[in-house]
Amino acid sequence: MSSARYTATRTSLRTAAIMVGFTAIFTAIMAFTFDTTRPAIEAARIEEQMRLIDEVLPRDRYDNLLLEDFVDVGPHPALAGNRVSRIWRARKAGQPVALIAESSAPDGYAGRIELIVAIQADGTVSGVRVTAHKETPGLGDYIDPRKDRNKTRPWISQFVAVDWNAIEASKWTVRKDGGVFDYHTGATISARAVTRAVGRTVGHVVEQRDALFAAPSASRL
């Protein structure tokens, strides 16, 4: 082997070794960073989940560890469509209080609208919140109470205390379509999508209520 070729080989091997070393160090740093930040990320995720749940079901109504008492359902067309939906179970002194279901409306004006819906054990809606959407700012985004200009009575609050058993299934839509729920003129699509999704969700949860409460925790139905 010539001196020039030998030198080039040594240089290539040294460069490769340096690259491998840098890669190993970088991977170790990334792994360390992930391990050290994971608890904080998980805590933030849990805090956000509880913040949303608190808005639809106050904590004084139940005494179990809500986030640990759940079942996964689906995919089911009445809930999150082609995705699995998580349903948390609220109990007090061991007795069923409410079910909080992840759901979604696939037919929003700008795409899918994500929801959580809380249904009390008697079939009455405790609350509804939009958790993610892309509806038009200033027009259809009133479905999110944080964006609704009516802070006294946000549009989404009309579902509170509505009894599934008191309204025909076909009436779970906006008044424009023959239903019983309000909407904002000029922004019907967003309200229609959310209202119908809430109706589908409540109907399914009420129908499956006993099975949902009886299923083993962390199981899938």
Side-chain angles (χ1 to χ4, degrees), residues 53-73:
I53 290 172
D54 286 346
E55 292 184 14
V56 297
L57 187 70
R59 295 192 193 190
D60 60 3
R61 296 190 189 176
Y62 60 92
D63 58 13
N64 62 319
L65 297 175
L66 189 66
L67 295 185
E68 297 179 13
D69 192 350
F70 67 88
V71 291
D72 289 331
V73 178

Side-chain angles (χ1 to χ4, degrees), residues 50-124:
M50 286 308 305
R51 184 189 67 79
L52 288 168
I53 290 172
D54 286 346
E55 292 184 14
V56 297
L57 187 70
R59 295 192 193 190
D60 60 3
R61 296 190 189 176
Y62 60 92
D63 58 13
N64 62 319
L65 297 175
L66 189 66
L67 295 185
E68 297 179 13
D69 192 350
F70 67 88
V71 291
D72 289 331
V73 178
H76 196 285
L79 300 173
N82 61 353
R83 294 179 295 174
V84 173
S85 175
R86 178 154 293 183
I87 299 181
W88 293 278
R89 303 174 298 189
R91 311 174 196 263
K92 194 158 191 176
Q95 297 302 307
V97 171
L99 295 160
I100 303 99
E102 291 181 327
S103 187
S104 65
D107 49 352
Y109 182 79
R112 184 180 292 272
I113 300 170
E114 305 294 344
L115 309 164
I116 59 168
V117 183
I119 305 100
Q120 297 182 108
D122 64 358
T124 302

Side-chain angles (χ1 to χ4, degrees), residues 15 25 28 41 43 84 88 139 154 167 187 198 214 221:
T15 301
I25 293 170
I41 293 172
V84 173
W88 293 278
L139 188 62
I167 300 176
V198 171
L221 298 180

